[in-house]
Amino acid sequence: NPAVITSLYRDGDPGVHGDWRGADIRVLDLPSIFHNGLEIFVNRAFRYRGAEGKNTALIHDSGQGLHLHLQVGPSERWPEKPENIVTA
């Protein structure tokens, strides 16, 4: 089954989801043998630039079901838009 993003922005959330810096992806369909490896891979590939001791990726259940939580730190910059992008 495809990966399903279950949460991006949450209005009123005081954390990363309220700042558009977090994403949750359902991993229920991913065999549990891959969970730890996926978390390690993402954290090695993408360093968290924020509070010491936090990671970019975490697989956990915070009461809404098992998911891969991804986050970027508050010091991350928004990507620059190329000048040839047309917006409405």
Side-chain angles (χ1 to χ4, degrees):
N1 290 338
V4 176
I5 296 174
T6 58
S7 180
L8 287 174
Y9 175 74
R10 291 187 204 136
D11 191 32
D13 184 295
V16 296
H17 289 283
D19 284 342
W20 291 92
R21 295 186 296 109
D24 294 334
I25 301 171
R26 185 178 67 206
V27 295
L28 292 173
D29 300 324
L30 182 68
S32 61
I33 193 167
F34 296 113
H35 292 178
N36 192 43
L38 178 60
E39 188 177 315
I40 290 169
F41 172 79
V42 172
N43 286 323
R44 285 184 180 166
F46 303 97
R47 182 176 65 89
Y48 182 76
R49 296 182 181 152
E52 191 68 32
K54 289 198 175 188
N55 289 317
T56 299
L58 171 67
I59 292 182
H60 70 145
D61 183 351
S62 60
Q64 302 296 318
L66 195 63
H67 66 275
L68 170 65
H69 173 80
L70 300 171
Q71 62 186 8
V72 296
S75 62
E76 293 286 341
R77 293 184 11 200
W78 285 93
E80 299 294 325
K81 278 196 287 187
E83 292 191 27
N84 62 347
I85 296 293
V86 176
T87 57

